[in-house]
Amino acid sequence: MVSRVIPVDPFDLVVFGATGDLARRKILPGLYRRFVAGQIPETSRIIGSARTEMDNQGFRAFVAEAIAEFIDAKKRDAESVARFLDHLRYVSVDAKGDSGWPELAALIRPDVVQAYYFSVAPSLFGDLAERLHRHGIASPEARIVVEKPFGRDLETAKALNATLAAHFAESQIYRIDHYLGKETVQNLMAVRFANILFEPLWNARHVDHVQITVSETVGVGGRGAYYDKSGAMRDMVQNHLMQLLCLIAMEAPYRFDPDAVRDEKLKVIHALQPVAPEDIVRGQYRAGGPGGNGSSYVEDVDHRDSRTESYIALKVDIANWRWKGTPFYLRTGKKLRARASEIAVVFKEVPHSIFGDEEGWRENVLAIRLQPNEGMTLSVMIKEPGPGGMRLTEVPLDMSFAEALGEDGADIPDAYERLIMDVIRGNQTLFMRGDEVEAAWAWTDPIIAAWEARGDRPKAYDPGSSGPEDALMLLHRDGRRWREIRE
Ligand code: BG6
């Protein structure tokens, strides 16, 4: 299968914070990959911008290093790197002052797509937006791209939305949740809405429960200062897991159109019920783990008395006709057993077994593996082969996207590549709308406020485990169990 690469219109993309970690790891190498794929027109330009003084040559050397570090050697070559670097410029600007802005203004062309990527701390969003206007740089169709964290609660998110709205229309604002750019996450919509097979069963009558797991092996790394003020609830659940839940739970939009899709997701968020304290388990990793010498969470964030969670599991109810009575169990954590993210839709048992009380009777489960080994497995019951009566066994109908789609399946663009190209195309479907972000915080805030008011401490768990023991109870007491976390 050969995938079609449709070039985007010529553009000037300004990356503010171009010397930062996200630009180096994701944005700039991602743009190189799109360039090699033939999606970036020859007349397009990528303009790096940051406070650091640097000339074009210095920036090109910086980007060349980033490409060498983050792109597999088999997927880059000196000639295409050199051609890509020709598209790069650099302007040093002061986000809080006036230096550099006239130079930037002189560089931007009015007759191409303009996009401004704010890969900077949210505290600078207002300064950048205001100066882009004051210096007459941004055209009325210009797009701005902002990253999470989009606020740390409803109040700060509203303030950020207001700051951006002072200078840009909602149709110009692209709020990234990189999970929406993942191939398999988009596949959730394809599976649900391009097949007749699942939809009749996709409701509380037939679905016993849903499990959403995003498990990581990494700790908080060098991001301790940020993470300790966030925790897994703010860092992962309010955005990434919430988006996954929405895509599983939403009604079919009338069309695959940005506002139609986002309207349906918003309805799901509004239908989320408050979560009771007994339906939440928070955890924090201890020292140790594989090899025995890993540091603990409190060492990683350098805060001995921290009560921030590096793991959270919660049972969520959606109060609407489709889902009332079907719990959604969400869990995510750092330093767990494996890097594995999946959504499992666990169907109810057949209403009556004509085979009697067969041992080993199982439910049908549709498991969608988000990463790694992207694919889908549907477990079905069949007859165990051979004579000896009607014994049943469970087998997986297993599809790996890499195998099923050949080369295309193995070379899936990174989430950032896809999302940046969508910005240039002006397609907001995979970006969060302002009201969506606010609704997500409105659900999250009271949950966090309640455990803060109670002074709850997270439970300790071993690195390399599946999380705290108490998380098992969350399902056991409902007569269910978590799926194993494994790659
Ligand atoms: C980020 C979080 O948004 O997502 C990180 O801030 C987390 O803490 C990361 O590690 C996970 O993303 P991915 O694409 O590696 O699953």
Side-chain angles (χ1 to χ4, degrees), residues 148 178-179 182 216 223 226-227 235-236 240 334 339 371:
K148 72 177 267 272
H178 79 281
Y179 265 57
K182 289 183 190 278
E216 299 185 274
R223 302 160 70 225
Y226 150 78
Y227 193 91
D235 185 51
M236 297 292 287
H240 306 327
K334 305 253 182 227
R339 177 170 185 261
Q371 58 188 29

Side-chain angles (χ1 to χ4, degrees), residues 3-53:
S3 68
R4 283 174 304 144
V5 173
I6 302 168
V8 294
D9 288 337
F11 61 84
D12 278 345
L13 167 65
V14 179
V15 181
F16 292 111
T19 52
D21 201 46
L22 181 71
R24 201 172 66 86
R25 279 186 304 115
K26 295 284 184 188
I27 304 173
L28 297 162
L31 284 162
Y32 168 71
R33 294 213 345 143
R34 289 297 91 208
F35 176 76
V36 173
Q39 203 163 13
I40 296 187
E42 279 302 326
T43 53
S44 298
R45 290 185 317 190
I46 296 151
I47 298 154
S49 192
R51 223 171 41 182
T52 317
E53 292 289 344

Side-chain angles (χ1 to χ4, degrees), residues 117 145-150 174-183 185-186 214 234-247 262 265 269 414-416 418-420 422-423 428-433 436-437 440:
Y117 199 131
V145 185
V146 295
E147 278 286 335
K148 72 177 267 272
F150 198 84
Y174 290 70
R175 294 177 195 77
I176 287 201
D177 181 317
H178 79 281
Y179 265 57
L180 287 176
K182 289 183 190 278
E183 182 74 16
V185 174
Q186 290 170 70
V214 177
R234 288 191 171 96
D235 185 51
M236 297 292 287
V237 176
Q238 185 272 347
N239 36 78
H240 306 327
L241 276 83
M242 172 87 81
Q243 289 295 328
L244 299 178
L245 178 144
C246 284
L247 296 179
R262 296 184 301 174
K265 287 198 294 171
I269 303 176
D414 177 77
Y416 279 92
R418 176 190 323 271
L419 293 174
I420 297 170
D422 278 359
V423 171
Q428 289 186 306
T429 310
L430 300 176
F431 297 83
M432 292 182 298
R433 213 167 51 189
E436 211 183 328
V437 180

Side-chain angles (χ1 to χ4, degrees), residues 85-252:
L85 296 181
D86 270 351
H87 293 260
L88 304 184
R89 306 279 185 283
Y90 184 84
V91 186
S92 163
V93 298
D94 180 2
K96 290 191 168 293
D98 284 319
S99 74
W101 293 96
E103 289 79 359
L104 184 62
L107 208 55
I108 301 293
R109 297 167 293 174
D111 54 344
V112 297
V113 173
Q114 291 178 18
Y116 300 93
Y117 199 131
F118 293 6
S119 179
V120 297
S123 56
L124 293 177
F125 289 179
D127 294 309
L128 293 178
E130 195 263 325
R131 281 170 178 75
L132 281 173
H133 262 263
R134 182 143 49 88
H135 293 275
I137 301 176
S139 71
E141 290 82 38
R143 287 138 209 184
I144 59 165
V145 185
V146 295
E147 278 286 335
K148 72 177 267 272
F150 198 84
R152 65 182 321 273
D153 52 22
L154 178 58
E155 195 186 328
T156 48
K158 276 186 170 168
L160 271 184
N161 274 336
T163 302
L164 297 178
H167 303 287
F168 294 93
E170 182 62 32
S171 58
Q172 295 179 277
I173 303 172
Y174 290 70
R175 294 177 195 77
I176 287 201
D177 181 317
H178 79 281
Y179 265 57
L180 287 176
K182 289 183 190 278
E183 182 74 16
T184 329
V185 174
Q186 290 170 70
N187 235 325
L188 288 177
M189 280 186 278
V191 166
R192 285 199 58 198
F193 302 127
N195 296 287
I196 191 73
L197 211 56
F198 301 112
E199 187 53 25
L201 302 177
W202 212 257
N203 54 49
R205 265 188 72 199
H206 300 290
V207 176
D208 179 70
H209 71 281
V210 176
Q211 296 186 18
I212 303 181
T213 302
V214 177
S215 161
E216 299 185 274
T217 49
V218 291
V220 297
R223 302 160 70 225
Y226 150 78
Y227 193 91
D228 201 40
K229 289 197 172 61
S230 304
M233 186 71 178
R234 288 191 171 96
D235 185 51
M236 297 292 287
V237 176
Q238 185 272 347
N239 36 78
H240 306 327
L241 276 83
M242 172 87 81
Q243 289 295 328
L244 299 178
L245 178 144
C246 284
L247 296 179
I248 289 291
M250 73 183 189
E251 298 299 318

